[in-house]
Amino acid sequence: MTAADWADAMRLALDEARGALDTDDVPVGAVVLNPSGTVIGRGRNQREALADPTAHAEVVALREAAKAIGSWHLDRCTLVVTLEPCTMCAGALVLARMERLVFGAFDPKAGAVASLWDVVRDRRLNHRPEVVSGVLEDECGALLLEFFAGQREGPGDR
């Protein structure tokens, strides 16, 4: 499948990301799809909201998906996320045995799939998911740029 085939799923992840805009969390969203394409897990960044350093969108979505199917084995599933996963999230999706990772914007500061590291395709690991990158990249990136531009404004500017 090509990047264009994943646009609808990425729009669902973008909807999740927009939900984080009501908090101080970075707007990253994720969904997990089962083999038939049904959403079985949803997540958005909740680190600030939950005071939990592991509450990244991907981890939240993986937890929900595992609970939905009653197993941590998410083989044959696809994780769709608006931002390239960090090392923690890349490791989590490898350990969950995800079949595929689809992401939108690249993360030059913390990306662990292409930008800084390539955790998910490291040949030393026992599982390596397929990677589809750059899906709705401009739209995913614009949401993050808008958020961070607002963070740089002074208190009287909001």
Side-chain angles (χ1 to χ4, degrees), residues 6-134:
W6 295 104
D8 288 341
M10 186 59 73
R11 286 185 187 95
L12 296 174
L14 278 162
D15 288 343
E16 287 298 316
R18 287 183 192 101
L21 291 172
D22 296 335
T23 70
D24 287 332
D25 282 295
V26 176
V28 176
V31 294
V32 175
L33 308 174
N34 70 11
S36 66
T38 301
V39 175
I40 60 170
R42 295 176 184 273
R44 64 181 63 131
N45 274 358
Q46 296 182 44
R47 292 184 309 166
E48 299 295 333
L50 300 177
D52 179 354
T54 68
H56 289 206
E58 300 94 325
V59 172
V60 173
L62 291 172
R63 287 177 179 157
E64 188 174 293
K67 187 174 182 179
I69 66 169
S71 174
W72 63 268
H73 286 271
L74 298 174
D75 51 324
R76 300 181 49 225
C77 292
T78 300
L79 174 66
V80 180
V81 61
T82 58
L83 181 65
E84 177 184 359
C86 69
T87 53
M88 176 183 69
C89 295
L93 73 98
V94 168
L95 293 174
R97 311 292 194 264
M98 299 295 298
E99 180 173 323
R100 181 178 306 104
L101 165 66
V102 176
F103 72 88
F106 288 84
D107 185 351
K109 292 184 179 182
V113 179
S115 295
L116 294 180
W117 300 281
D118 194 351
V119 172
V120 300
R121 291 176 283 214
D122 189 317
R123 294 193 181 279
R124 296 169 291 183
L125 298 175
N126 65 338
H127 180 76
R128 291 178 298 281
E130 172 190 350
V131 176
V132 179
S133 59

